[in-house]
Amino acid sequence: MMHLPILPILLPLLAGIVLLLLRPLGVKVQRMVSFGAGFALLMLAVLLFDASLSGQRQVYVLGNWSAPFGIVLVFDQLAALMLLVTAVLAVGALWYAIVTETDAQGRHFHVLFQMQLFGLNGAFLTGDAFNLFVFFEVLLLASYSLLLHGGGAKRTVAGLHYVVVNLVGSTVFLFALGALYGALGTLNIADMAVKVAALPAKREGLVMAAGLLLLVVFGLKAALFPLYLWLPAAYANTSAPVAALFAVMTKVGVYAIIRVHGTVFGAEAGNLAYFYAPWLLGLGLVTLLLAALGVMAAFQLRVQVAYLVLASVATLLIAVGLQSQAALAAGLYYLVHSTLLAGGMFLLADLIVRGRGDYADRFDPGMQMPHYQLLGGVFLLAAMAAVGLPPLSGFFGKVWILQAALPHPWHWVVLATVLLGSMLLLIALARSGSVLFYKVKAKPDAADPVITETIPAFGLSMVAVLWLLAAVPLLVVLANPVSAVMERVAAQVLDVSGYQSAVFAPAVGGK
């Protein structure tokens, strides 16, 4: 049990190395090993999440060098939650890639997929800001290649923008870390919180500037206004399994804000306590409105789903910016809902594209697609959940966030923005569903594009879609116990002194 915290990092790393060695044996062998590793990671994530519910943090001291001098991995309820969501998403995306043979479009898909999971899990577990940068770079390097998987002009252009923007973000990240290390003498997150609490007044400006730089970097990862323009093209033009996995990528930025800013600049940070929250809340509100307008203006289904991801991230950032335990708990509930929903919608959009043939995902009335009843019904469920209509999980999450906003001075602005954004999403998705499933032609015109008669591997592909979208009804049926767990996770996140005590505990395994 002592070594459990490092296993979510080691498993995909070792799987990636093995897959690289097995590449000469062909894609079938790689599929078995990769999916086996993904399923094993899911089982491990379930075990770890169950262990985290005891409320005890585990700290894994790498090389037996204790903090703040050594590298530590901190396993708590928030990290366990993110590991579980990522593993569920990964299994669905991998299954879809295998049954649709999307993975065969490039030689290194499964290796890169495991390296992506290695970077993601490392980012969730690390207790050191510099190692957070390292794991960011690992997951970004893998994502650069995954984004381009399958090739194509649009994918290449979107990938180039994605690479350039994230390279700039990495450079700013290093500047911020350098400034923090120069002012505090440490990059261990728990130790930084101790140093900030006792910071001399003359250094507060420097540390605040470095904290804002970090907020810019994490905001870039989360696609916060005005740093979100890379997301719609990147997510809409990559392959469906990659886009589904990327649904958690923006949540890494949100997680980093909760973990780093929430710990270092939390309630015990003196004059710097929650200084970032007004920025986060204000920019989150702007991002939500612009994302809703992007959903309205989209002419293609996959672009629309990409803007839905942006809207969900903005809602999460609003919840974090409200800086209360209730809002954070509501945001975590909404995080689980929105991440798995977005992954499922990207896969569903790909099935619709394959069913419409040359019409692709354009919002042009066409002929009736195969399996339109099932696809239309699932699209209706997903659209209702994305908008936040009752009785689905999106409604529960948004109502909880709005409830938590009532004591905040900006509560009217938050209420108006979230409700207006939801109304715009409802209008846009109702229009999209009508064009795709109702405004169909009885007979094709001579100049109409060709529509496919069958969708290859449709049944097996729908398994992945339903696997991810199952979170929507489950979060409703289990709303009471899930919300109780989220309250406990939020309370532990805000317990900065408990986090510090665990990190500085001398024993391997920590507290």
Side-chain angles (χ1 to χ4, degrees):
M1 292 296 291
M2 181 186 299
H3 297 285
L4 275 180
I6 200 172
L7 292 184
I9 298 176
L10 290 181
L11 179 57
L13 174 62
L14 295 176
I17 295 172
V18 170
L19 285 165
L20 192 61
L21 297 175
L22 293 177
R23 196 185 64 188
L25 299 181
V27 71
K28 291 184 178 179
V29 175
Q30 291 186 63
R31 285 170 177 168
M32 289 189 291
V33 174
S34 184
F35 190 79
F39 189 77
L41 184 62
L42 175 60
M43 295 298 100
L44 177 62
V46 171
L47 176 63
L48 286 169
F49 186 74
D50 182 64
S52 74
L53 295 180
S54 67
Q56 288 188 320
R57 297 176 176 91
Q58 272 191 286
V59 177
Y60 194 86
V61 183
L62 294 170
N64 208 27
W65 287 88
S66 59
F69 307 106
I71 299 170
V72 295
L73 304 177
V74 182
F75 168 69
D76 61 3
Q77 292 176 341
L78 178 60
L81 176 66
M82 297 305 297
L83 291 173
L84 181 58
V85 171
T86 303
V88 171
L89 194 64
V91 167
L94 259 180
W95 177 264
Y96 190 90
I98 291 170
V99 299
T100 59
E101 299 187 351
T102 306
D103 58 337
Q105 296 174 2
R107 298 175 62 193
H108 305 290
F109 177 85
H110 290 286
V111 176
L112 293 167
F113 197 96
Q114 295 297 328
M115 289 298 103
Q116 180 87 21
L117 294 177
F118 166 58
L120 286 167
N121 292 348
F124 295 141
L125 287 167
T126 186
D128 182 274
F130 186 78
N131 278 298
L132 180 62
F133 166 78
V134 172
F135 283 118
F136 268 26
E137 292 308 298
V138 171
L139 67 90
L140 286 172
L141 283 171
S143 69
Y144 296 155
S145 298
L146 283 175
L147 184 66
L148 297 173
H149 177 74
K154 290 184 177 180
R155 197 166 293 180
T156 302
V157 171
L160 180 61
H161 292 168
Y162 177 77
V163 169
V164 171
V165 167
N166 279 283
L167 284 176
V168 174
S170 298
T171 304
V172 177
F173 200 167
L174 283 177
F175 289 161
L177 292 179
L180 283 172
Y181 188 77
L184 303 176
T186 182
L187 289 177
N188 179 280
I189 295 172
D191 199 33
M192 283 197 293
V194 173
K195 298 293 178 60
V196 168
L199 192 68
K202 63 182 181 180
R203 290 198 172 183
E204 287 181 355
L206 174 60
V207 173
M208 181 184 289
L212 286 175
L213 278 179
L214 274 184
L215 187 64
V216 169
V217 174
F218 299 152
L220 173 64
K221 309 302 181 188
L224 179 68
F225 173 83
L227 306 170
Y228 70 90
L229 296 176
W230 59 270
L231 186 146
Y235 282 38
N237 289 303
T238 191
S239 61
V242 173
L245 182 63
F246 278 18
V248 80
M249 289 279 283
T250 50
K251 310 310 186 295
V252 178
V254 177
Y255 170 86
I257 293 171
I258 296 172
R259 176 67 76 201
V260 177
H261 285 78
T263 303
V264 177
F265 303 109
E268 301 175 10
N271 294 332
L272 297 182
Y274 298 116
F275 79 91
Y276 63 93
W279 292 91
L280 193 62
L281 180 56
L283 293 174
L285 292 168
V286 174
T287 307
L288 178 56
L289 283 179
L290 293 177
L293 292 173
V295 173
M296 287 278 293
F299 290 99
Q300 296 173 295
L301 179 59
R302 285 178 291 195
V303 175
Q304 191 169 68
V305 176
Y307 274 107
L308 286 173
V309 172
L310 187 58
S312 70
V313 171
T315 306
L316 288 174
L317 294 172
I318 290 170
V320 176
L322 291 172
Q323 64 185 72
S324 70
Q325 181 177 323
L328 181 57
L332 293 174
Y333 179 94
Y334 193 79
L335 182 148
V336 177
H337 151 83
S338 61
T339 304
L340 299 180
L341 174 64
M345 289 192 77
F346 275 118
L347 301 185
L348 178 63
D350 188 63
L351 282 176
I352 293 172
V353 169
R354 290 162 59 196
R356 298 190 86 215
D358 290 342
Y359 286 98
D361 63 343
R362 299 189 308 274
F363 291 136
D364 295 330
M367 297 298 296
Q368 187 171 279
M369 71 184 78
H371 311 288
Y372 70 94
Q373 301 99 326
L374 179 57
L375 289 173
V378 175
F379 180 85
L380 175 63
L381 172 75
M384 290 175 61
V387 172
L389 294 179
L392 301 180
S393 52
F395 174 75
F396 282 80
K398 287 189 176 181
V399 167
W400 195 0
I401 292 171
L402 294 179
Q403 261 187 326
L406 292 177
H408 196 277
W410 293 16
H411 62 277
W412 284 115
V413 180
V414 174
L415 289 170
T417 304
V418 172
L419 293 176
L420 176 60
S422 299
M423 184 186 70
L424 294 176
L425 296 185
L426 175 61
I427 295 169
L429 290 173
R431 182 189 62 191
S432 303
S434 298
V435 171
L436 294 173
F437 299 103
Y438 290 101
K439 292 183 179 179
V440 293
K441 299 179 181 180
K443 294 181 180 180
D445 298 328
D448 278 350
V450 177
I451 195 165
T452 185
E453 296 182 1
T454 60
I455 302 176
F458 177 77
L460 292 174
S461 302
M462 279 302 299
V463 170
V465 176
L466 297 177
W467 164 261
L468 296 179
L469 295 184
V472 172
L474 284 176
L475 286 172
V476 175
V477 175
L478 303 174
N480 191 48
V482 170
S483 61
V485 169
M486 297 307 169
E487 289 277 7
R488 290 165 58 187
V489 176
Q492 189 183 60
V493 169
L494 297 176
D495 179 19
V496 177
S497 60
Y499 182 89
Q500 293 168 341
S501 299
V503 171
F504 294 126
V508 175
K511 175 182 175 182

